[in-house]
Amino acid sequence: MSPARDQTNDCYSIADFEIGKRLFTTYMAIQLVVTSPEGREGADLSQLDALITGYPFKEAVAGLVKAGLDIPRTKLVCDETYQDILYKIIGRTRLGDSHSKESLPTLWKELASLDSSTGGVDFTVDDLTQRVEDGFSTSPQDSEADIWKYTSRLWEDAQFKGVEAPKVRETCISNFPTKFRVTIRHRGVEASGEGRNKKAARHIAAKRVCQKLNIRLA
């Protein structure tokens, strides 16, 4: 369940979130296909999830506000993320009254045109692909195969120092696609990680806590 969607006094609804998420996913899929050298003949959407993961949602929301679109709320509530907010903005714009619907083409135009040449952020597929590749260019120690070691190392640190075991909080932030956020607090430091399952999210959070506490792998 998306954070804050169950708040009855929220300006956004569950439908806003769900419709916005599907529209954005479709939009990104279209962008991926039309910018591919093979076009629709290739139809390779294998990078879609990675592109969405690497998308700068916070900058996108700020860009829409700067463009003057009617956005009722951008402040995060509870465990919301800017990804949630952008989905809700898109859904609300599409499902709103006739005046709101007229703003939808403007919204897509703004998302497509917010690039570095206008003083904003480059949201092109090529740039997003590079962001993802940069994020995946990690050392062997930080590879996906070894990231579980940070979780083990964190619990070992608690035992070695004789302190309370790390506290873990798990939240399902999306049902479609499935996505979890895990927050770990240890020795006064807190960090979160997100992933398609709780285990992956936990390992990412543990790694970030270790980095903040300067805890290194053996």
PDB file of all heavy atoms in Angstrom, residues 151-178:
ATOM      1  N   THR A 151      24.557  -6.897   6.208  1.00  0.00           N
ATOM      2  CA  THR A 151      23.558  -7.227   7.219  1.00  0.00           C
ATOM      3  C   THR A 151      24.185  -8.070   8.319  1.00  0.00           C
ATOM      4  O   THR A 151      24.000  -7.808   9.515  1.00  0.00           O
ATOM      5  CB  THR A 151      22.381  -7.992   6.576  1.00  0.00           C
ATOM      6  OG1 THR A 151      21.814  -7.189   5.538  1.00  0.00           O
ATOM      7  CG2 THR A 151      21.309  -8.303   7.614  1.00  0.00           C
ATOM      8  N   SER A 152      24.938  -9.082   7.919  1.00  0.00           N
ATOM      9  CA  SER A 152      25.617  -9.935   8.891  1.00  0.00           C
ATOM     10  C   SER A 152      26.610  -9.135   9.727  1.00  0.00           C
ATOM     11  O   SER A 152      26.687  -9.291  10.952  1.00  0.00           O
ATOM     12  CB  SER A 152      26.345 -11.065   8.151  1.00  0.00           C
ATOM     13  OG  SER A 152      27.064 -11.876   9.050  1.00  0.00           O
ATOM     14  N   ARG A 153      27.340  -8.240   9.057  1.00  0.00           N
ATOM     15  CA  ARG A 153      28.356  -7.437   9.751  1.00  0.00           C
ATOM     16  C   ARG A 153      27.722  -6.500  10.766  1.00  0.00           C
ATOM     17  O   ARG A 153      28.285  -6.260  11.847  1.00  0.00           O
ATOM     18  CB  ARG A 153      29.148  -6.621   8.720  1.00  0.00           C
ATOM     19  CG  ARG A 153      30.272  -5.790   9.319  1.00  0.00           C
ATOM     20  CD  ARG A 153      31.395  -6.664   9.823  1.00  0.00           C
ATOM     21  NE  ARG A 153      32.444  -5.865  10.434  1.00  0.00           N
ATOM     22  CZ  ARG A 153      32.439  -5.480  11.705  1.00  0.00           C
ATOM     23  NH1 ARG A 153      31.434  -5.825  12.508  1.00  0.00           N
ATOM     24  NH2 ARG A 153      33.435  -4.765  12.193  1.00  0.00           N
ATOM     25  N   LEU A 154      26.549  -5.988  10.468  1.00  0.00           N
ATOM     26  CA  LEU A 154      25.872  -5.060  11.366  1.00  0.00           C
ATOM     27  C   LEU A 154      25.461  -5.759  12.658  1.00  0.00           C
ATOM     28  O   LEU A 154      25.634  -5.218  13.755  1.00  0.00           O
ATOM     29  CB  LEU A 154      24.641  -4.476  10.659  1.00  0.00           C
ATOM     30  CG  LEU A 154      24.083  -3.168  11.208  1.00  0.00           C
ATOM     31  CD1 LEU A 154      25.129  -2.069  11.176  1.00  0.00           C
ATOM     32  CD2 LEU A 154      22.863  -2.747  10.397  1.00  0.00           C
ATOM     33  N   TRP A 155      24.922  -6.967  12.534  1.00  0.00           N
ATOM     34  CA  TRP A 155      24.514  -7.714  13.727  1.00  0.00           C
ATOM     35  C   TRP A 155      25.736  -8.175  14.527  1.00  0.00           C
ATOM     36  O   TRP A 155      25.698  -8.234  15.748  1.00  0.00           O
ATOM     37  CB  TRP A 155      23.633  -8.892  13.321  1.00  0.00           C
ATOM     38  CG  TRP A 155      22.169  -8.566  13.445  1.00  0.00           C
ATOM     39  CD1 TRP A 155      21.309  -8.994  14.416  1.00  0.00           C
ATOM     40  CD2 TRP A 155      21.394  -7.713  12.589  1.00  0.00           C
ATOM     41  NE1 TRP A 155      20.055  -8.467  14.216  1.00  0.00           N
ATOM     42  CE2 TRP A 155      20.072  -7.679  13.102  1.00  0.00           C
ATOM     43  CE3 TRP A 155      21.679  -6.975  11.447  1.00  0.00           C
ATOM     44  CZ2 TRP A 155      19.048  -6.944  12.514  1.00  0.00           C
ATOM     45  CZ3 TRP A 155      20.663  -6.232  10.850  1.00  0.00           C
ATOM     46  CH2 TRP A 155      19.369  -6.226  11.383  1.00  0.00           C
ATOM     47  N   GLU A 156      26.821  -8.471  13.837  1.00  0.00           N
ATOM     48  CA  GLU A 156      28.061  -8.826  14.526  1.00  0.00           C
ATOM     49  C   GLU A 156      28.579  -7.638  15.334  1.00  0.00           C
ATOM     50  O   GLU A 156      29.091  -7.803  16.450  1.00  0.00           O
ATOM     51  CB  GLU A 156      29.126  -9.252  13.511  1.00  0.00           C
ATOM     52  CG  GLU A 156      28.865 -10.599  12.863  1.00  0.00           C
ATOM     53  CD  GLU A 156      29.896 -10.913  11.791  1.00  0.00           C
ATOM     54  OE1 GLU A 156      30.768 -10.045  11.542  1.00  0.00           O
ATOM     55  OE2 GLU A 156      29.832 -12.006  11.206  1.00  0.00           O
ATOM     56  N   ASP A 157      28.430  -6.445  14.781  1.00  0.00           N
ATOM     57  CA  ASP A 157      28.879  -5.240  15.470  1.00  0.00           C
ATOM     58  C   ASP A 157      28.113  -5.042  16.776  1.00  0.00           C
ATOM     59  O   ASP A 157      28.694  -4.668  17.799  1.00  0.00           O
ATOM     60  CB  ASP A 157      28.684  -4.018  14.561  1.00  0.00           C
ATOM     61  CG  ASP A 157      29.133  -2.724  15.217  1.00  0.00           C
ATOM     62  OD1 ASP A 157      30.353  -2.491  15.289  1.00  0.00           O
ATOM     63  OD2 ASP A 157      28.255  -1.948  15.658  1.00  0.00           O
ATOM     64  N   ALA A 158      26.803  -5.315  16.736  1.00  0.00           N
ATOM     65  CA  ALA A 158      25.986  -5.168  17.942  1.00  0.00           C
ATOM     66  C   ALA A 158      26.427  -6.157  19.015  1.00  0.00           C
ATOM     67  O   ALA A 158      26.540  -5.806  20.199  1.00  0.00           O
ATOM     68  CB  ALA A 158      24.510  -5.377  17.596  1.00  0.00           C
ATOM     69  N   GLN A 159      26.703  -7.389  18.615  1.00  0.00           N
ATOM     70  CA  GLN A 159      27.149  -8.404  19.568  1.00  0.00           C
ATOM     71  C   GLN A 159      28.526  -8.066  20.135  1.00  0.00           C
ATOM     72  O   GLN A 159      28.766  -8.198  21.337  1.00  0.00           O
ATOM     73  CB  GLN A 159      27.185  -9.772  18.886  1.00  0.00           C
ATOM     74  CG  GLN A 159      25.809 -10.311  18.502  1.00  0.00           C
ATOM     75  CD  GLN A 159      25.889 -11.665  17.815  1.00  0.00           C
ATOM     76  OE1 GLN A 159      26.965 -12.098  17.403  1.00  0.00           O
ATOM     77  NE2 GLN A 159      24.757 -12.335  17.693  1.00  0.00           N
ATOM     78  N   PHE A 160      29.412  -7.611  19.264  1.00  0.00           N
ATOM     79  CA  PHE A 160      30.777  -7.296  19.689  1.00  0.00           C
ATOM     80  C   PHE A 160      30.804  -6.144  20.689  1.00  0.00           C
ATOM     81  O   PHE A 160      31.561  -6.166  21.663  1.00  0.00           O
ATOM     82  CB  PHE A 160      31.626  -6.947  18.465  1.00  0.00           C
ATOM     83  CG  PHE A 160      33.048  -6.579  18.798  1.00  0.00           C
ATOM     84  CD1 PHE A 160      33.980  -7.560  19.115  1.00  0.00           C
ATOM     85  CD2 PHE A 160      33.448  -5.249  18.802  1.00  0.00           C
ATOM     86  CE1 PHE A 160      35.293  -7.218  19.430  1.00  0.00           C
ATOM     87  CE2 PHE A 160      34.756  -4.905  19.115  1.00  0.00           C
ATOM     88  CZ  PHE A 160      35.684  -5.886  19.430  1.00  0.00           C
ATOM     89  N   LYS A 161      29.956  -5.153  20.464  1.00  0.00           N
ATOM     90  CA  LYS A 161      29.936  -3.986  21.341  1.00  0.00           C
ATOM     91  C   LYS A 161      28.980  -4.156  22.517  1.00  0.00           C
ATOM     92  O   LYS A 161      28.886  -3.280  23.380  1.00  0.00           O
ATOM     93  CB  LYS A 161      29.572  -2.737  20.533  1.00  0.00           C
ATOM     94  CG  LYS A 161      30.688  -2.287  19.599  1.00  0.00           C
ATOM     95  CD  LYS A 161      30.331  -0.995  18.896  1.00  0.00           C
ATOM     96  CE  LYS A 161      31.555  -0.377  18.235  1.00  0.00           C
ATOM     97  NZ  LYS A 161      32.268  -1.290  17.341  1.00  0.00           N
ATOM     98  N   GLY A 162      28.244  -5.259  22.541  1.00  0.00           N
ATOM     99  CA  GLY A 162      27.339  -5.521  23.644  1.00  0.00           C
ATOM    100  C   GLY A 162      26.167  -4.563  23.716  1.00  0.00           C
ATOM    101  O   GLY A 162      25.688  -4.225  24.802  1.00  0.00           O
ATOM    102  N   VAL A 163      25.696  -4.119  22.549  1.00  0.00           N
ATOM    103  CA  VAL A 163      24.565  -3.192  22.509  1.00  0.00           C
ATOM    104  C   VAL A 163      23.346  -3.902  21.937  1.00  0.00           C
ATOM    105  O   VAL A 163      23.422  -5.037  21.463  1.00  0.00           O
ATOM    106  CB  VAL A 163      24.897  -1.949  21.653  1.00  0.00           C
ATOM    107  CG1 VAL A 163      26.067  -1.192  22.259  1.00  0.00           C
ATOM    108  CG2 VAL A 163      25.207  -2.349  20.213  1.00  0.00           C
ATOM    109  N   GLU A 164      22.221  -3.211  21.995  1.00  0.00           N
ATOM    110  CA  GLU A 164      20.968  -3.772  21.493  1.00  0.00           C
ATOM    111  C   GLU A 164      21.071  -4.060  19.997  1.00  0.00           C
ATOM    112  O   GLU A 164      21.731  -3.327  19.254  1.00  0.00           O
ATOM    113  CB  GLU A 164      19.830  -2.785  21.758  1.00  0.00           C
ATOM    114  CG  GLU A 164      18.448  -3.309  21.404  1.00  0.00           C
ATOM    115  CD  GLU A 164      17.363  -2.293  21.721  1.00  0.00           C
ATOM    116  OE1 GLU A 164      17.705  -1.176  22.147  1.00  0.00           O
ATOM    117  OE2 GLU A 164      16.180  -2.631  21.536  1.00  0.00           O
ATOM    118  N   ALA A 165      20.435  -5.135  19.561  1.00  0.00           N
ATOM    119  CA  ALA A 165      20.448  -5.495  18.146  1.00  0.00           C
ATOM    120  C   ALA A 165      19.789  -4.394  17.318  1.00  0.00           C
ATOM    121  O   ALA A 165      18.913  -3.671  17.809  1.00  0.00           O
ATOM    122  CB  ALA A 165      19.709  -6.810  17.929  1.00  0.00           C
ATOM    123  N   PRO A 166      20.204  -4.221  16.082  1.00  0.00           N
ATOM    124  CA  PRO A 166      19.611  -3.189  15.224  1.00  0.00           C
ATOM    125  C   PRO A 166      18.092  -3.328  15.148  1.00  0.00           C
ATOM    126  O   PRO A 166      17.562  -4.436  15.089  1.00  0.00           O
ATOM    127  CB  PRO A 166      20.265  -3.456  13.861  1.00  0.00           C
ATOM    128  CG  PRO A 166      21.569  -4.103  14.196  1.00  0.00           C
ATOM    129  CD  PRO A 166      21.283  -4.959  15.389  1.00  0.00           C
ATOM    130  N   LYS A 167      17.414  -2.191  15.145  1.00  0.00           N
ATOM    131  CA  LYS A 167      15.958  -2.187  15.031  1.00  0.00           C
ATOM    132  C   LYS A 167      15.574  -2.065  13.562  1.00  0.00           C
ATOM    133  O   LYS A 167      16.120  -1.236  12.830  1.00  0.00           O
ATOM    134  CB  LYS A 167      15.363  -1.031  15.832  1.00  0.00           C
ATOM    135  CG  LYS A 167      15.571  -1.170  17.335  1.00  0.00           C
ATOM    136  CD  LYS A 167      14.898  -0.028  18.088  1.00  0.00           C
ATOM    137  CE  LYS A 167      15.070  -0.195  19.597  1.00  0.00           C
ATOM    138  NZ  LYS A 167      14.427   0.917  20.348  1.00  0.00           N
ATOM    139  N   VAL A 168      14.620  -2.886  13.153  1.00  0.00           N
ATOM    140  CA  VAL A 168      14.235  -2.952  11.743  1.00  0.00           C
ATOM    141  C   VAL A 168      12.756  -2.613  11.580  1.00  0.00           C
ATOM    142  O   VAL A 168      11.908  -3.108  12.327  1.00  0.00           O
ATOM    143  CB  VAL A 168      14.499  -4.361  11.169  1.00  0.00           C
ATOM    144  CG1 VAL A 168      14.103  -4.415   9.699  1.00  0.00           C
ATOM    145  CG2 VAL A 168      15.966  -4.744  11.343  1.00  0.00           C
ATOM    146  N   ARG A 169      12.465  -1.750  10.610  1.00  0.00           N
ATOM    147  CA  ARG A 169      11.071  -1.411  10.285  1.00  0.00           C
ATOM    148  C   ARG A 169      10.838  -1.675   8.803  1.00  0.00           C
ATOM    149  O   ARG A 169      11.570  -1.176   7.953  1.00  0.00           O
ATOM    150  CB  ARG A 169      10.787   0.057  10.613  1.00  0.00           C
ATOM    151  CG  ARG A 169       9.324   0.450  10.390  1.00  0.00           C
ATOM    152  CD  ARG A 169       9.026   1.848  10.896  1.00  0.00           C
ATOM    153  NE  ARG A 169       9.648   2.892  10.095  1.00  0.00           N
ATOM    154  CZ  ARG A 169      10.691   3.610  10.474  1.00  0.00           C
ATOM    155  NH1 ARG A 169      11.260   3.385  11.655  1.00  0.00           N
ATOM    156  NH2 ARG A 169      11.193   4.548   9.691  1.00  0.00           N
ATOM    157  N   GLU A 170       9.825  -2.478   8.492  1.00  0.00           N
ATOM    158  CA  GLU A 170       9.544  -2.863   7.110  1.00  0.00           C
ATOM    159  C   GLU A 170       8.224  -2.258   6.648  1.00  0.00           C
ATOM    160  O   GLU A 170       7.239  -2.258   7.386  1.00  0.00           O
ATOM    161  CB  GLU A 170       9.485  -4.387   6.982  1.00  0.00           C
ATOM    162  CG  GLU A 170      10.777  -5.086   7.382  1.00  0.00           C
ATOM    163  CD  GLU A 170      10.629  -6.593   7.395  1.00  0.00           C
ATOM    164  OE1 GLU A 170       9.469  -7.075   7.402  1.00  0.00           O
ATOM    165  OE2 GLU A 170      11.657  -7.301   7.407  1.00  0.00           O
ATOM    166  N   THR A 171       8.213  -1.747   5.417  1.00  0.00           N
ATOM    167  CA  THR A 171       7.009  -1.136   4.856  1.00  0.00           C
ATOM    168  C   THR A 171       6.855  -1.541   3.397  1.00  0.00           C
ATOM    169  O   THR A 171       7.825  -1.489   2.637  1.00  0.00           O
ATOM    170  CB  THR A 171       7.085   0.407   4.925  1.00  0.00           C
ATOM    171  OG1 THR A 171       7.356   0.815   6.256  1.00  0.00           O
ATOM    172  CG2 THR A 171       5.774   1.030   4.461  1.00  0.00           C
ATOM    173  N   CYS A 172       5.656  -1.954   3.022  1.00  0.00           N
ATOM    174  CA  CYS A 172       5.362  -2.211   1.612  1.00  0.00           C
ATOM    175  C   CYS A 172       4.936  -0.883   0.997  1.00  0.00           C
ATOM    176  O   CYS A 172       3.918  -0.310   1.390  1.00  0.00           O
ATOM    177  CB  CYS A 172       4.250  -3.249   1.465  1.00  0.00           C
ATOM    178  SG  CYS A 172       3.799  -3.578  -0.258  1.00  0.00           S
ATOM    179  N   ILE A 173       5.712  -0.365   0.062  1.00  0.00           N
ATOM    180  CA  ILE A 173       5.411   0.948  -0.508  1.00  0.00           C
ATOM    181  C   ILE A 173       4.761   0.857  -1.885  1.00  0.00           C
ATOM    182  O   ILE A 173       4.338   1.869  -2.438  1.00  0.00           O
ATOM    183  CB  ILE A 173       6.681   1.818  -0.589  1.00  0.00           C
ATOM    184  CG1 ILE A 173       7.751   1.155  -1.453  1.00  0.00           C
ATOM    185  CG2 ILE A 173       7.221   2.103   0.797  1.00  0.00           C
ATOM    186  CD1 ILE A 173       8.990   2.015  -1.653  1.00  0.00           C
ATOM    187  N   SER A 174       4.681  -0.346  -2.433  1.00  0.00           N
ATOM    188  CA  SER A 174       4.023  -0.507  -3.726  1.00  0.00           C
ATOM    189  C   SER A 174       3.620  -1.965  -3.918  1.00  0.00           C
ATOM    190  O   SER A 174       4.393  -2.873  -3.623  1.00  0.00           O
ATOM    191  CB  SER A 174       4.957  -0.074  -4.862  1.00  0.00           C
ATOM    192  OG  SER A 174       4.378  -0.348  -6.125  1.00  0.00           O
ATOM    193  N   ASN A 175       2.401  -2.158  -4.404  1.00  0.00           N
ATOM    194  CA  ASN A 175       1.929  -3.502  -4.715  1.00  0.00           C
ATOM    195  C   ASN A 175       2.107  -3.851  -6.184  1.00  0.00           C
ATOM    196  O   ASN A 175       2.113  -5.011  -6.565  1.00  0.00           O
ATOM    197  CB  ASN A 175       0.447  -3.635  -4.343  1.00  0.00           C
ATOM    198  CG  ASN A 175       0.237  -3.602  -2.840  1.00  0.00           C
ATOM    199  OD1 ASN A 175       1.015  -4.170  -2.091  1.00  0.00           O
ATOM    200  ND2 ASN A 175      -0.810  -2.921  -2.395  1.00  0.00           N
ATOM    201  N   PHE A 176       2.225  -2.817  -7.027  1.00  0.00           N
ATOM    202  CA  PHE A 176       2.368  -3.046  -8.465  1.00  0.00           C
ATOM    203  C   PHE A 176       3.300  -2.001  -9.049  1.00  0.00           C
ATOM    204  O   PHE A 176       2.895  -0.861  -9.245  1.00  0.00           O
ATOM    205  CB  PHE A 176       1.010  -2.962  -9.164  1.00  0.00           C
ATOM    206  CG  PHE A 176       1.101  -3.182 -10.658  1.00  0.00           C
ATOM    207  CD1 PHE A 176       1.188  -4.463 -11.168  1.00  0.00           C
ATOM    208  CD2 PHE A 176       1.114  -2.110 -11.536  1.00  0.00           C
ATOM    209  CE1 PHE A 176       1.277  -4.664 -12.537  1.00  0.00           C
ATOM    210  CE2 PHE A 176       1.204  -2.301 -12.902  1.00  0.00           C
ATOM    211  CZ  PHE A 176       1.278  -3.587 -13.402  1.00  0.00           C
ATOM    212  N   PRO A 177       4.571  -2.323  -9.303  1.00  0.00           N
ATOM    213  CA  PRO A 177       5.199  -3.601  -8.965  1.00  0.00           C
ATOM    214  C   PRO A 177       5.495  -3.682  -7.471  1.00  0.00           C
ATOM    215  O   PRO A 177       5.524  -2.651  -6.791  1.00  0.00           O
ATOM    216  CB  PRO A 177       6.495  -3.567  -9.774  1.00  0.00           C
ATOM    217  CG  PRO A 177       6.815  -2.109  -9.854  1.00  0.00           C
ATOM    218  CD  PRO A 177       5.495  -1.404  -9.973  1.00  0.00           C
ATOM    219  N   THR A 178       5.728  -4.874  -6.963  1.00  0.00           N
ATOM    220  CA  THR A 178       6.007  -5.045  -5.545  1.00  0.00           C
ATOM    221  C   THR A 178       7.306  -4.340  -5.173  1.00  0.00           C
ATOM    222  O   THR A 178       8.328  -4.505  -5.836  1.00  0.00           O
ATOM    223  CB  THR A 178       6.126  -6.540  -5.195  1.00  0.00           C
ATOM    224  OG1 THR A 178       4.914  -7.203  -5.580  1.00  0.00           O
ATOM    225  CG2 THR A 178       6.360  -6.725  -3.702  1.00  0.00           C
TER     226      THR A 178
END
